[in-house]
Amino acid sequence: LNDKISDSPQLENDLALMEQELLMIPVEEKGAYLQALIRCPELVATESDKHLFLMFDNFDTHVAAKRLVKYWETRKTIFGDDAFLPLRLEDGALTPEDVEHIETGAFCLLPGDEHGRCIIYHDRSRFDRLNHLSHMSILRATWYILHVALEKDNSRENGVVILMTSNCGISMFSRKHMRLSWDSLMNAIPTRMKAFHVCHLSAHVDSHVLPIWKKVVSKNIRMRVIIHRNKNWDLLLDLLGYGFRKEHLPPEFGGNFNIDFESFLEERRRREDYQRRLGDLQLRIGFHEDEWEARIDELYIALIYMRQSSVSDGREIDGPLEEVDAWVEERLDEYEAELDDWEGILMADMEAEVEELRETIEQEQLRLDGPLR
């Protein structure tokens, strides 16, 4: 990570300065952020980690604070009241329709390029298989995949490259949602978008969507977008020139990497279930229990290792990783059972104390006023 991240005293000072900057932002400009602090402080800490915003804005605390507030304002605009729920496939901010859009396989992570950057693959034509297309669902799905990418060290350190195929009709695009999407990517989510490669353009997209897009986005964005009109071998040569690797590109780009999207989704659901269970454990034990906090930290470290070695990175799951997976599952079951026993004992003690208190009150009442009615 950035050298400054490892400099704990400096980082603590930057975080304190960022907090001061957040306080100075007028209340009317940070309504969604304040709501998030009240309704889901754990999400403010995990899904909008201040460290990421500081890193993104080169430790400019003023700009980082503005971006964090913008993040929550944009998140609420896109997700409504569900903005204060976790971004996950089950029981979170995503609607069943959003998940259906994700399950088409339109979004996936590919192994990194030769510059160490995270690659998001987006095949917009896969939405053709849906009975009903929702531009808002596409936008919420985009937010989800960007947050998945942010979990990867290579995206935080080296940035993100988006590889998109646009062999689809113009109904797949909306000016309003296009503007919201780019605003999210460039001004809200702390994603270092290094380049946006657009391939396999349909004639409709080339002649109708691109002219509108150029009017919607800023010059800064246009400079990062590369339109590839070549096909087959020439397209592969183009992409190789930008740092892509043949062994990490899908066949439609001339590569030989086969995307196992089912494994990608399975892995995401498993990790998110672990995360949910960890969150439940934290709520049950509180954050003041040092022994339990150490146990939770240990599980988080294991989860980070599993994410960095996951199938979404394009690597095979080997024996050691499976052992870590099994170990996390076993520890979660063990801790949940232990907490059940612990809470049972506490409840029995509380009931005994309540009964003892009631008896004391009754005796005192009898002494003072006669029988308790």
Side-chain angles (χ1 to χ4, degrees), residues 285-294 342:
I285 66 173
F287 293 94
H288 61 282
E289 299 283 348
D290 292 340
E291 178 190 352
W292 275 98
E293 189 172 358
W342 184 43

Side-chain angles (χ1 to χ4, degrees), residues 136-148:
M136 283 304 293
S137 284
I138 293 174
L139 189 52
R140 288 190 287 264
T142 302
W143 265 65
Y144 173 76
I145 199 68
L146 287 171
H147 280 74
V148 172

Side-chain angles (χ1 to χ4, degrees), residues 113-358:
D113 65 9
E114 62 183 29
H115 303 296
R117 299 175 297 194
C118 177
I119 300 176
I120 298 176
Y121 173 50
H122 179 27
D123 182 358
R124 216 167 179 88
S125 66
R126 285 181 172 265
F127 293 137
D128 287 338
R129 63 190 66 184
L130 294 171
N131 293 326
H132 172 68
L133 179 73
S134 166
H135 291 290
M136 283 304 293
S137 284
I138 293 174
L139 189 52
R140 288 190 287 264
T142 302
W143 265 65
Y144 173 76
I145 199 68
L146 287 171
H147 280 74
V148 172
L150 273 176
E151 293 176 0
K152 310 297 179 184
D153 282 345
N154 61 346
S155 75
R156 297 193 295 270
E157 295 173 16
N158 305 316
V160 168
V161 173
I162 298 176
L163 178 63
M164 175 178 171
T165 178
S166 294
N167 187 19
C168 54
I170 59 175
S171 63
M172 296 289 176
F173 298 89
S174 152
R175 180 184 295 215
K176 171 188 172 183
H177 297 96
M178 198 183 298
R179 183 180 287 110
L180 259 177
S181 180
W182 283 103
D183 190 42
S184 299
L185 190 60
M186 302 303 293
N187 302 317
I189 303 173
T191 306
R192 295 185 183 278
M193 211 277 280
K194 296 295 187 179
F196 195 104
H197 296 265
V198 183
C199 309
H200 303 303
L201 276 77
S202 67
H204 290 295
V205 172
D206 202 357
S207 59
H208 294 89
V209 176
L210 280 183
I212 296 173
W213 169 81
K214 289 177 180 178
K215 296 177 181 178
V216 168
V217 302
S218 67
K219 180 180 179 181
N220 182 39
I221 294 174
R222 291 198 298 271
M223 290 175 63
R224 298 169 190 261
V225 176
I226 301 101
I227 307 295
H228 298 272
R229 290 188 168 82
N230 285 330
K231 297 181 180 179
N232 304 322
W233 177 250
D234 290 331
L235 173 59
L236 176 60
L237 290 178
D238 284 349
L239 294 173
L240 294 179
Y242 285 98
F244 289 92
R245 294 170 173 164
K246 182 178 180 181
E247 62 270 23
H248 292 167
L249 284 171
E252 55 264 43
F253 300 98
N256 47 28
F257 181 78
N258 292 313
I259 297 173
D260 187 353
F261 187 71
E262 294 302 320
S263 294
F264 171 75
L265 277 184
E266 181 183 347
E267 182 252 344
R268 287 306 309 167
R269 283 192 165 96
R270 186 166 65 253
R271 301 292 175 265
E272 289 168 14
D273 182 58
Y274 289 157
Q275 199 78 26
R276 178 188 57 76
R277 292 170 68 185
L278 275 172
D280 290 345
L281 281 173
Q282 285 183 323
L283 288 174
R284 291 170 68 184
I285 66 173
F287 293 94
H288 61 282
E289 299 283 348
D290 292 340
E291 178 190 352
W292 275 98
E293 189 172 358
R295 296 189 193 188
I296 296 298
D297 287 345
E298 191 177 23
L299 282 174
Y300 270 119
I301 291 169
L303 274 179
I304 290 168
Y305 168 77
M306 292 161 73
R307 282 176 178 158
Q308 292 174 347
S309 306
S310 65
V311 289
S312 59
D313 288 327
R315 298 177 226 165
E316 294 294 327
I317 292 183
D318 53 18
L321 185 57
E322 289 180 343
E323 289 175 13
V324 175
D325 200 341
W327 180 86
V328 170
E329 185 103 41
E330 187 178 340
R331 291 292 82 71
L332 281 168
D333 291 340
E334 175 189 322
Y335 295 168
E336 286 167 347
E338 192 172 336
L339 276 173
D340 286 340
D341 293 340
W342 184 43
E343 288 175 340
I345 294 170
L346 286 177
M347 186 61 69
D349 289 345
M350 286 174 61
E351 289 175 353
E353 288 181 15
V354 169
E355 186 60 32
E356 183 180 347
L357 182 60
R358 177 172 175 78

